Amino acid sequence: MKLLHIDVSEGLSSAKLDQLLEELRQLADAAGVVVRHRFVLCALMEEVATNIMEHAAAQWLEVSLQVDQGRPTLLVVDNGKPFDTGEAIVALAGATSNQANPADQRRLGLVMLRELSQSIVYERDPQDLNRLTVVLRPAMEEC
Amino acid sequence: MDDKQDEPQAEEGYESRLEIKLHDDLPHNFVCFELIGRLDIFTYRDLSKAIMDTCHERKGITVLVDLSAVSFVASSGWSVFVATRTRLKSGGGRVALCGLSEELMRVYEAMHMPKLVPSFGSRQEAREALADVAP
């Protein structure tokens, strides 16, 4: 399980995001991740990185990838502000509500994360770091 | 306060991540935005502005977005399509997509987009299908 460390103290630029995604692709290739999972991994990584930059104001983030029986698990740690789980629950609950703004970007990002993964676990660890673990669905299973 | 200060910015001189080509068939009130590149947090505002600049006050317009040369669409990109649908609806307009790759189609379906924005295989297919149904 290799670790990528990305300095985002000056913000997440397009080049920085490309670098992160390229390194993740290489990590996935080296771990034998199938093409379909590589695309989903990058989609999820982009959503997570965007969220971290927009809402957590982190200085850095670390990404690691573990593959168990062909199923990738993405672990993202950052030193930003705690994730507001209550707000996320409300936003996701709104996904099925007629009153929800369907164009709400953050809500769509959360829907994307939920629908493309098998499980998502968020923890605020004792060192005041955000720790997000995303397990992808098996490659043969449809989203 | 300038909201743009907080927006993620592409570096100066950095190759543009999204090219937008407009095909405007005025007599039929049908416009197609052909996109090339990535539709993400750095580019979605460009597309949103291009659509709004073109479609502003055009009642009953049909907007087709051709994604056949797009490698990636982030949630910010999907939000443009849904927002466009909402804005156009009141004026009798509509929005549709075409040319989604297998990977994009998987995300499109996973995000329940088919309920909101229809998708077609190609521009031609979209034109034919949409011509048969009034907005």
Side-chain angles (χ1 to χ4, degrees):
Chain A
M1 185 164 73
K2 196 179 159 188
L3 206 64
L4 305 176
H5 182 96
I6 307 286
D7 180 352
V8 287
S9 56
E10 293 178 7
L12 182 68
S13 63
S14 52
K16 190 80 87 177
L17 180 61
D18 284 348
Q19 179 203 341
L20 172 60
L21 296 179
E22 181 53 35
E23 289 183 20
L24 181 61
R25 258 182 230 113
Q26 288 173 12
L27 212 58
D29 276 348
V33 171
V34 296
V35 173
R36 186 210 152 167
H37 270 152
R38 283 209 303 267
F39 183 86
V40 172
L41 269 176
C42 288
L44 293 176
M45 187 68 249
E46 181 148 349
E47 290 303 322
V48 172
T50 301
N51 254 307
I52 289 171
M53 292 316 302
E54 291 201 327
H55 304 289
Q59 302 295 302
W60 55 261
L61 57 98
E62 282 179 350
V63 180
S64 53
L65 180 67
Q66 198 167 21
V67 183
D68 180 25
Q69 295 184 327
R71 187 181 306 186
T73 297
L74 185 68
L75 174 65
V76 184
V77 179
D78 71 80
N79 69 338
K81 290 183 285 191
F83 181 67
D84 188 339
T85 49
E87 190 187 319
I89 289 166
V90 169
L92 274 173
T96 53
S97 159
N98 289 332
Q99 277 138 32
N101 174 8
D104 181 280
Q105 183 193 325
R106 190 170 190 209
R107 187 188 63 79
L108 283 177
L110 290 169
V111 170
M112 185 186 257
L113 281 174
R114 184 185 64 183
E115 298 297 334
L116 292 179
S117 62
Q118 179 167 286
S119 73
I120 306 173
V121 175
Y122 166 75
E123 299 163 286
R124 182 74 174 175
D125 81 4
Q127 296 167 299
D128 284 342
L129 299 174
N130 296 312
R131 188 176 291 272
L132 188 71
T133 308
V134 183
V135 182
L136 268 65
R137 294 166 189 272
M140 298 305 290
E141 194 178 302
E142 284 305 311
C143 293
Chain B
M1 191 178 136
D2 183 3
D3 287 343
K4 283 198 168 272
Q5 279 180 348
D6 296 330
E7 292 175 6
Q9 302 290 314
E11 285 88 328
E12 212 170 306
Y14 190 79
E15 189 183 347
S16 173
R17 296 162 71 88
L18 183 71
E19 187 180 341
I20 303 171
K21 292 182 181 172
L22 171 63
H23 306 274
D24 194 341
D25 186 354
L26 200 53
H28 296 96
N29 212 9
F30 187 102
V31 296
C32 175
F33 291 90
E34 181 186 357
L35 309 185
I36 302 163
R38 292 169 58 84
L39 185 54
D40 59 19
I41 190 79
F42 300 103
T43 58
Y44 78 97
R45 289 182 182 87
D46 296 340
L47 176 63
S48 183
K49 183 175 184 312
I51 292 175
M52 285 309 113
D53 287 352
T54 304
C55 304
H56 184 59
E57 293 185 354
R58 277 173 70 170
K59 301 283 181 196
I61 193 170
T62 297
V63 173
L64 179 65
V65 183
D66 186 345
L67 298 173
S68 51
V70 170
S71 58
F72 181 77
V73 180
S75 63
S76 43
W78 298 113
S79 73
V80 174
F81 306 139
V82 183
T84 300
R85 170 187 181 266
T86 307
R87 287 197 199 107
L88 297 183
K89 211 174 168 185
S90 58
R94 61 188 167 179
V95 61
L97 310 175
C98 71
L100 278 74
S101 66
E102 196 181 327
E103 288 86 359
L104 286 185
M105 183 58 81
R106 199 168 282 131
V107 178
Y108 166 82
E109 288 173 350
M111 294 182 72
H112 313 295
M113 283 287 148
K115 286 191 293 188
L116 302 170
V117 182
S119 164
F120 301 91
S122 67
R123 255 190 264 181
Q124 183 63 29
E125 194 184 308
R127 274 201 87 117
E128 287 169 6
L130 295 169
D132 291 341
V133 187

